[in-house]
Amino acid sequence: MDFSLREVHYFVTCVQTGSFTAAAARLYVSQAAVSRTIASLERTAGRPLLRRVPTGCVPTQAGAELLGAAQSLLAEARDFSNLLHGEARTLRLGYAWAALGRRTIALQRRWAEDHAGVQLELIRNNTPTAGLAEGLCEVAVLRRLRPEDGFASTVVGIEQRLAAFASDDATWARRRSLRMAEIGARTVAVDTRGGTTDRSLFDARHAPEHWVETMDVDSWLDLISTGRAVGTTAESTAHHHQRHGIRYLPISDGPPIEVSLAWRRGRAPAGLQELIDLVRDLYGYTPGVRD
């Protein structure tokens, strides 16, 4: 190879931290060392991979195209190192919002009991593919599948759709469930990257007039807790993100949410089928059978 893993590592770290200075601090080297290493990788590539901006650096188009492969390469190098030294492999499971909700702890405990040779690491990544496209994980929990080339997926469970609103909301204080039309009459908060809510959920007559976009689940929760908006979400969010000031209720006519596991097509990681079987067991889900 005409590049080194160190060069790839420095490149990915620069993108993740957003600056040469922050990357140097994380890598415990000088900024000059980072600059020299990136320059060497760019000479090999024959084009710039990072562009300096007032706030630090951002990947160029070429850099963005290489980022996912670079992160996957580093993950595979870590696995190779673990195997070389007789250490357990790591299966990184990405999620954007809520992993498996109340089933998450059971997943971690049962996996640790039955799969000593492969460690399961859960990583939260608020991207459309929960870090899969970026190479941050080998498998991802997805509740909103998009047509992504290179990814395979399978449904592992079904979750109920819930409404989220401020707990001091007087109008809904005594309710035990809500309907989609009632949600549509309010301002609705959505996370367009990792959330499960969009206009297609609503009947045309009851589609919300006002939408507020948020960046991730934390900003979504902040907005809802103040009463500025309401939201719809999967049941796992209620278990994973219990917060003072927010109440969750079932939506009686809310479309159910499919929970899927996704991975790169042709690159199924070790332990994938065991993970699929375990998650399906936790959900009580059988392919082709719906409640």
Side-chain angles (χ1 to χ4, degrees):
M1 294 184 296
D2 52 0
F3 64 90
S4 68
L5 285 176
R6 182 171 67 90
E7 291 173 339
V8 176
H9 185 200
Y10 279 32
F11 165 66
V12 170
T13 304
C14 284
V15 175
Q16 290 176 339
T17 59
S19 78
F20 283 58
T21 302
R26 179 181 291 187
L27 295 165
Y28 298 100
V29 298
S30 68
Q31 184 175 336
V34 173
S35 297
R36 287 194 301 270
T37 303
I38 296 300
S40 174
L41 184 61
E42 289 179 327
R43 283 194 297 272
T44 300
R47 50 188 172 169
L49 301 178
L50 294 172
R51 178 168 57 87
R52 292 183 182 272
V53 296
T55 56
C57 67
V58 295
T60 63
Q61 181 177 348
E65 291 172 353
L66 290 174
L67 181 60
Q71 291 172 317
S72 295
L73 177 62
L74 293 178
E76 291 181 0
R78 286 192 295 268
D79 285 341
F80 178 80
S81 179
N82 289 341
L83 289 172
L84 187 65
H85 295 95
E87 300 174 358
R89 293 192 60 176
T90 299
L91 178 60
R92 285 164 283 270
L93 178 62
Y95 67 95
W97 274 47
L100 304 183
R102 61 183 174 83
R103 304 169 182 85
T104 302
I105 293 177
L107 169 69
Q108 294 170 302
R109 288 178 174 172
R110 287 178 57 178
W111 183 273
E113 291 172 358
D114 299 335
H115 303 86
V118 180
Q119 296 179 354
L120 183 65
E121 179 182 357
L122 271 63
I123 306 174
R124 179 176 160 190
N125 301 296
N126 195 59
T127 71
T129 61
L132 187 60
E134 295 77 14
L136 300 175
C137 58
E138 291 77 45
V139 187
V141 179
L142 299 180
R143 292 179 173 82
R144 185 178 181 182
L145 288 175
R146 296 169 173 83
E148 295 280 354
D149 291 337
F151 299 135
S153 66
T154 187
V155 177
V156 291
I158 303 293
E159 292 186 353
Q160 184 178 24
R161 187 176 295 274
L162 305 181
F165 58 95
S167 56
D168 61 358
D169 188 309
T171 305
W172 292 346
R174 297 181 179 278
R175 299 292 298 275
R176 294 189 178 182
S177 66
L178 294 167
R179 296 181 64 81
M180 290 298 295
E182 295 176 283
I183 305 297
R186 302 286 192 95
T187 297
V188 177
V190 295
D191 173 8
T192 57
R193 294 188 297 177
T196 60
T197 303
D198 60 26
R199 294 181 184 275
S200 67
L201 294 176
F202 296 87
D203 182 282
R205 296 170 299 169
H206 303 120
E209 293 186 11
H210 303 288
W211 301 80
V212 181
E213 290 190 8
T214 62
M215 297 301 296
D216 55 28
V217 64
D218 293 308
S219 57
W220 184 83
L221 291 167
D222 290 340
L223 191 65
I224 291 173
S225 65
T226 62
R228 290 179 290 168
V230 301
T232 85
T233 189
E235 65 183 64
S236 283
T237 304
H239 294 279
H240 204 81
H241 296 285
Q242 297 182 19
R243 179 181 289 196
H244 178 72
I246 289 184
R247 185 182 177 196
Y248 296 94
L249 281 180
I251 305 176
S252 59
D253 60 345
I257 298 172
E258 288 187 341
V259 182
S260 298
L261 293 183
W263 61 96
R264 288 183 178 273
R265 185 173 289 112
R267 298 175 61 180
L272 174 63
Q273 189 57 54
E274 291 87 345
L275 180 63
I276 291 171
D277 293 342
L278 176 53
V279 175
R280 282 177 172 166
D281 184 57
L282 291 170
Y283 274 100
Y285 176 81
T286 302
V289 177
R290 300 283 182 87
D291 291 335

